[in-house]
Amino acid sequence: SEQIQTDYKNAGVMHVLAVSGMHIGIIYFLINLILKWFIRSENARFGIIIAILCIFAVLSGLSGSVVRSVVMFLIIGLSVVFKRKTDSTHALIASMFFILIINPSYLFDVGFQLSYLAVFSIIYLYPLIRNVFTSKNIILNYFLELIGISLVAQIGILPLTIFYFGQVPLLFLIGNIIVVPLLTVVLFGLIALLLLNFIWKFAALYLGDFLSFLIEWVNHLIAIVASKEDFVLNDIKMSLLQCVLSLVLIFLIAHVIKQFTFKKIFLVF
């Protein structure tokens, strides 16, 4: 509903309502897991998975974020099949190039811009802070990584978020810590529910009730986070030039942090 969309936007977790790389990753993981039982050939499994992901992309409306995810999986998967090393940044740029050749209008799609910028921010900025957000405890490490990735993604897309939406949700870290783990469970549960409907309807009913309760609970928690209006900065104005300059500055600073040199510092200033 419109209210739920507003709550998720104010909590800084609007990305989970869009069909995106997280969904593609889960589908890839599950299909690969199932096919391993029946098909030994890695190349054959890869071909079937990519075909299914392409069908899923079409069914979900060919949004920019989904197309980006599928093409990136295709490029990285091909590198594995042909035993060639690939770099995440190269795969990202290659997928963007391929998509824009087919449909240049994607360049003006807000979802496409935010999706690519968020992934590039994670690839480029997260290695700078990875050591800070690492723990030997598996559970603690999961949440630390979630915080670190959310932080760099938010920093990277901040200028675009202000330019398009004119607001900054300050509680985005709390929102992500709540929503990402729980909705990952929900997504796996929904796929299990789909299978149970054909196998064991009695269990499917109980699982459906549990998932429905979990979704309502997540929405309620996000509504509480979104209700803290003092932590949402609204009506911020930013021109296109300011947006571009801010993005350039963010990544120039990151470039300097990676390796301090006089020339790089001079370039930033």
Side-chain angles (χ1 to χ4, degrees):
S1 67
E2 197 171 313
Q3 182 59 49
I4 288 176
Q5 289 187 45
T6 302
D7 288 342
Y8 274 68
K9 184 176 74 173
N10 290 340
V13 290
M14 190 67 177
H15 60 91
V16 300
L17 294 183
V19 183
S20 62
M22 183 170 75
H23 304 83
I24 298 293
I26 289 171
I27 292 170
Y28 185 99
F29 170 78
L30 286 174
I31 295 173
N32 190 45
L33 194 67
I34 293 167
L35 290 179
K36 275 184 178 179
W37 297 345
F38 307 103
I39 302 171
R40 289 187 178 181
S41 170
E42 189 176 353
N43 293 358
R45 285 203 309 270
F46 173 72
I48 293 169
I49 291 169
I50 289 299
I52 292 171
L53 290 181
C54 288
I55 292 168
F56 175 78
V58 172
L59 290 174
S60 62
L62 288 173
S63 67
S65 56
V66 173
V67 175
R68 188 264 307 160
S69 303
V70 172
V71 175
M72 276 195 72
F73 269 108
L74 174 62
I75 292 168
I76 293 169
L78 284 172
S79 70
V80 173
V81 169
F82 292 107
K83 295 178 172 57
R84 298 286 297 272
K85 289 184 179 180
T86 186
D87 181 82
S88 299
T89 307
H90 294 165
L92 188 71
I93 293 168
S95 67
M96 180 188 285
F97 182 70
F98 176 74
I99 291 167
L100 292 178
I101 283 176
I102 294 173
N103 189 355
S105 64
Y106 266 129
L107 187 61
F108 305 100
D109 179 74
V110 179
F112 181 86
Q113 294 172 14
L114 289 171
S115 174
Y116 267 96
L117 190 54
V119 175
F120 180 72
S121 301
I122 293 167
I123 292 170
Y124 197 78
L125 301 178
Y126 185 63
L128 299 176
I129 62 169
R130 181 182 282 121
N131 293 336
V132 179
F133 294 93
T134 303
S135 171
K136 291 181 180 179
N137 184 289
I138 297 174
I139 297 173
L140 181 60
N141 190 65
Y142 171 79
F143 283 100
L144 284 174
E145 279 191 352
L146 180 59
I147 292 169
I149 289 170
S150 300
L151 189 62
V152 295
Q154 195 71 26
I155 290 170
I157 66 171
L158 187 60
L160 267 189
T161 305
I162 295 172
F163 176 70
Y164 284 117
F165 308 114
Q167 69 170 40
V168 179
L170 298 177
L171 296 178
F172 67 91
L173 280 177
I174 295 173
N176 276 285
I177 290 170
I178 292 171
V179 82
V180 173
L182 290 175
L183 285 192
T184 301
V185 172
V186 168
L187 285 169
F188 276 107
L190 287 170
I191 293 169
L193 179 64
L194 185 65
L195 298 173
L196 275 175
N197 277 317
F198 298 99
I199 301 168
W200 191 9
K201 289 188 177 181
F202 181 75
L205 286 171
Y206 281 100
L207 179 59
D209 288 338
F210 170 72
L211 292 175
S212 179
F213 165 76
L214 195 57
I215 291 169
E216 288 178 13
W217 191 55
V218 171
N219 289 341
H220 177 66
L221 290 175
I222 292 302
I224 293 172
V225 174
S227 67
K228 310 301 179 185
E229 295 180 1
D230 292 341
F231 292 94
V232 181
L233 306 180
N234 289 303
D235 301 320
I236 307 171
K237 303 298 180 184
M238 179 179 274
S239 68
L240 179 60
L241 178 61
Q242 289 172 326
C243 176
V244 173
L245 289 175
S246 299
L247 285 169
V248 170
L249 183 62
I250 287 169
F251 290 103
L252 275 178
I253 291 170
H255 189 56
V256 169
I257 292 170
K258 284 192 172 187
Q259 186 181 0
F260 283 96
T261 65
F262 176 76
K263 286 183 179 179
K264 287 180 180 178
I265 294 170
F266 180 77
L267 184 62
V268 169
F269 282 108

